[in-house]
Amino acid sequence: MHDIQELDSRGIPGGFVASEVFRTAARTQGDAIGFHADSLFVAHPIQDRTDAEMRALADEALEAVVALVCGKDSP
Amino acid sequence: MTSVLLDPTGELDPVQRLPCKKPGSLTGLTVGLLDISKARGNVFLDRIDELLAARGVKILRFKKPTFTRPAPVALLQEMARQCDVVVEGLAD
Amino acid sequence: MQLPNGLIAVVKRDCPTCLLVDPVLQEIERHGVPLTVYIQDDPSFSRASRIIDDRNLEHSFRFGIETVPTLIHIADGRETQRAVGWQREEWETVSGLKSLGAGLPDYRPGCGSKSVEPGTAERLAVRYGESKMHARRLTVPPLEDDLELCFARGWSDGLPVVPPTEARVYRMLQGTTRAADEILGLMPPNLSPCNVEKVAINAVLAGCKPEYLPVVIAAVEAALDPAFCLHGLLATTWFSGPMVIVNGPIREAIGMNWQGNVLGQGNRANATIGRALQLVVRNVGGGKPQEADQSTFGAPGKYGFCFAEDERTPWTTLSEDRGFRRDQSSVTLFSADGPVGCIDQKSRDPASLIYSLAGSLRIVNHIDLANAADAVVVIGPEHGRVFDQAGWSKARVVAALHERLQISGQDLGMGTAPGASKDATGSAKHAVSKFRPEGLTLARAGGPAGLFSAIIPGWLMKGSLGTDPVSKEIRL
């Protein structure tokens, strides 16, 4: 989240992708640094997935990733 | 002890700092994909790269040395110089 | 505040008189008088039976305690009288009891209350006092540096600002008798209401001391005067920003500089008063570079431009010329580019020096342009001596400068390449004055060495189409 904040302060919009378990930590960290980066949460777990499963996760997440960096209400 | 500051402004902007404006569409833009170096993240980002490239979006790839620390300043400067928007992943 | 009837005592262990009178408190209790003892440090030291721990000093603050021990009599829920320190007669009067403290000396002075220690008094006023500060509060997130937060929120002019904590703003507001909620006007460009509190917050950002606040307030009042045309000056593509010249006794009182390096850095009052005005425009008004502020170049003075006039010369002061008395303190606000130097190390007589100054003034804006900007000329001490020794008043110098600054009609106009045609603004028969009659203002300041003066041109738009200088009295 620090990285997205840093890039934001340099005028570069962005967001981060994390697994579901990160949701609470992300909110807490956002409160602590005074900046809530746009975020996308994908299904947990990640570490033990096969390549095929990871690619499927990416396929599912694509539109949300585009929305993350374009703006939530964008096409 | 938390510090409380008085607002010196005309108070027209929200208390919660908003991120900067998003571009609305990716047409003509360069998207940076920042790998935080956690296992399996690269497979996810590779696939996002492939899918966006197929749509004609220009993609640049970056990787930070470790997910345990903020990205080095030189990397951030480079990304700011070359990219219009950034996606960072994959934290778990 | 509705209080229980009887007596209240406020004490602290770290006070020999409080230790001395503790037996008297017990005596009072033995007489059956209801007594509550508030202790500011160690609640265990007293043998009285009804004790309230006042280590956070809230009660001491609300009772207005300045000295301990203090004994207060309450009837019908309100204070009727109090005794401060130990004096047998007073304690007997307040308590209504006789022969108190047998064996004690008749009198012992008290000690300072913890609630009025420096720093503590303000902290308590902020926490428990009726807050006169109504600006929105922002909490600094735990992992964020407060200086970085000020940058991130856009409050800075590029240099670090002092985080405006409640205690700092409270202290700043002690610098004026004016009410925090007094509205000075609507600040362009977004026309947000600007009150004394907002000025104080920005004065904290700038690094002002509380005693500078009245000067900043006067500068803001001058800037908001329609004659100054602040919105136009902010929005212009031209270089100019506001420049504050201070006159009167306040200059010395707050330690301003009118001597060496007067237009430069190093003096806290000069630096922070000018800066505070610019921060008010930025933060309250929302006027920022490359947004409402469209200045092509800007100028270093847009960080802040403020100095005091040297009033030790034979000339009338700037403020006297503008209708103030010498014993009044005032600000005069001008539009200003950066200073341009004029050197003349040869002239011993006024006419010769005026020739040099006029030459430098001729090129203001453009060598062949007339009736554009006004200019302020800061006459340095060594140049000033040339005029003073010849007995030339300021008015005489100004008249002589205007006389030397007549431009022939055929010379007027921008675009001077050989053979290029000029703007048809005049004819050879017609001479035009470079500056309007009130367009040249002279002030005295600067260090003792250097046969120089400083020319400070202003905004091209003036009068009814732009800006005029504005003066305001400084009210404490």
Side-chain angles (χ1 to χ4, degrees), chain C residues 318-359:
Chain C
L318 170 63
S319 61
E320 280 178 304
D321 293 345
R322 297 179 66 81
F324 294 89
R325 297 185 316 268
R326 271 214 185 215
D327 63 303
Q328 287 177 296
S329 291
S330 68
V331 299
T332 305
L333 211 60
F334 296 88
S335 65
D337 301 350
V340 174
C342 173
I343 179 176
D344 184 339
Q345 293 171 325
K346 292 282 189 242
S347 294
R348 297 290 197 88
D349 67 281
S352 179
L353 182 51
I354 279 166
Y355 179 83
S356 296
L357 291 170

Side-chain angles (χ1 to χ4, degrees), chain C residues 3-13 17-19 21-29 33-43 45-55 57 59-61 63-74 79 81-86 91 94-95 100 113:
Chain C
L3 298 163
N5 291 340
L7 292 171
I8 285 171
V10 184
V11 295
K12 66 180 184 183
R13 173 199 264 284
T17 308
C18 296
L19 296 174
V21 303
D22 197 53
V24 180
L25 299 181
Q26 293 162 59
E27 219 184 305
I28 290 171
E29 284 181 328
V33 177
L35 170 69
T36 310
V37 180
Y38 292 82
I39 303 186
Q40 297 185 337
D41 48 10
D42 176 5
F45 94 85
S46 170
R47 300 253 191 102
S49 32
R50 185 168 148 68
I51 287 175
I52 292 186
D53 179 347
D54 194 34
R55 277 177 291 184
L57 301 172
H59 300 283
S60 299
F61 171 79
F63 294 141
I65 305 296
E66 296 186 339
T67 306
V68 289
T70 290
L71 185 71
I72 304 176
H73 179 258
I74 309 292
E79 173 176 340
Q81 54 186 325
R82 64 171 63 183
V84 170
W86 160 251
W91 277 56
V94 171
S95 66
L100 284 178
S113 166

Side-chain angles (χ1 to χ4, degrees), chain B residues 1-17, chain C residues 136-138 140 144 153 155 164-166 190 197-198 201-202 283-284:
Chain B
M1 178 163 135
T2 43
S3 217
V4 173
L5 304 182
L6 272 70
D7 193 322
T9 73
E11 301 182 18
L12 299 175
D13 58 342
V15 171
Q16 183 73 266
R17 248 157 53 223
Chain C
R136 185 169 67 177
R137 295 332 200 235
L138 295 155
V140 181
E144 192 162 16
R153 292 210 72 103
W155 299 346
T165 61
E166 290 173 304
N190 64 26
E197 181 188 346
K198 286 293 180 182
I201 300 171
N202 282 280
N283 289 325
V284 181

Side-chain angles (χ1 to χ4, degrees), chain A residues 3-5 8 12-19 22 34 36 38 47 49-51 58-59 62-63 68-70 74, chain B residues 16-17 19-24 26 39-40 43 47 51 55 64 70-71 77 83-88 90-92:
Chain A
D3 299 335
I4 299 299
Q5 179 194 35
D8 187 88
I12 309 296
F16 69 88
V17 186
S19 76
F22 245 74
H36 289 87
D38 288 328
Q47 294 298 310
R49 296 216 188 218
T50 64
D51 284 7
D59 288 350
L62 179 68
E63 292 311 322
L68 182 69
V69 288
C70 286
S74 311
Chain B
Q16 183 73 266
R17 248 157 53 223
C20 59
K21 209 159 141 19
K22 300 286 198 303
L26 293 180
R40 320 305 291 134
V43 182
R47 182 61 177 157
L51 293 167
R55 291 192 185 186
K64 69 175 184 178
Q77 288 174 339
C83 308
D84 299 302
V85 298
V86 168
V87 179
E88 183 178 23
L90 177 52
D92 78 311

Side-chain angles (χ1 to χ4, degrees), chain C residues 17 21 83-93 105-108:
Chain C
T17 308
V21 303
V84 170
W86 160 251
Q87 216 220 41
R88 179 177 287 104
E89 262 185 54
E90 273 186 22
W91 277 56
E92 288 175 351
T93 308
D106 290 337
Y107 166 72
R108 271 282 155 79

Side-chain angles (χ1 to χ4, degrees), chain C residues 54-182:
Chain C
D54 194 34
R55 277 177 291 184
N56 68 9
L57 301 172
E58 177 180 356
H59 300 283
S60 299
F61 171 79
R62 294 195 192 283
F63 294 141
I65 305 296
E66 296 186 339
T67 306
V68 289
T70 290
L71 185 71
I72 304 176
H73 179 258
I74 309 292
D76 296 325
R78 318 275 284 277
E79 173 176 340
T80 64
Q81 54 186 325
R82 64 171 63 183
V84 170
W86 160 251
Q87 216 220 41
R88 179 177 287 104
E89 262 185 54
E90 273 186 22
W91 277 56
E92 288 175 351
T93 308
V94 171
S95 66
L97 298 169
K98 290 277 174 253
S99 311
L100 284 178
L104 261 53
D106 290 337
Y107 166 72
R108 271 282 155 79
C111 307
S113 166
K114 288 179 76 67
S115 59
V116 295
E117 285 168 5
T120 302
E122 287 135 11
R123 188 175 50 77
L124 295 173
V126 167
R127 191 187 296 165
Y128 301 120
E130 199 188 285
S131 183
K132 305 217 170 38
M133 304 185 300
H134 298 294
R136 185 169 67 177
R137 295 332 200 235
L138 295 155
T139 306
V140 181
L143 292 184
E144 192 162 16
D145 180 282
D146 53 357
L147 271 160
E148 289 297 329
L149 181 145
C150 295
F151 276 114
R153 292 210 72 103
W155 299 346
S156 155
D157 51 9
L159 293 170
V161 290
V162 177
T165 61
E166 290 173 304
R168 286 188 180 124
V169 178
Y170 177 86
R171 272 201 294 280
M172 182 61 67
L173 283 167
Q174 308 316 300
T176 182
T177 57
R178 295 168 78 162
D181 60 1
E182 180 190 343

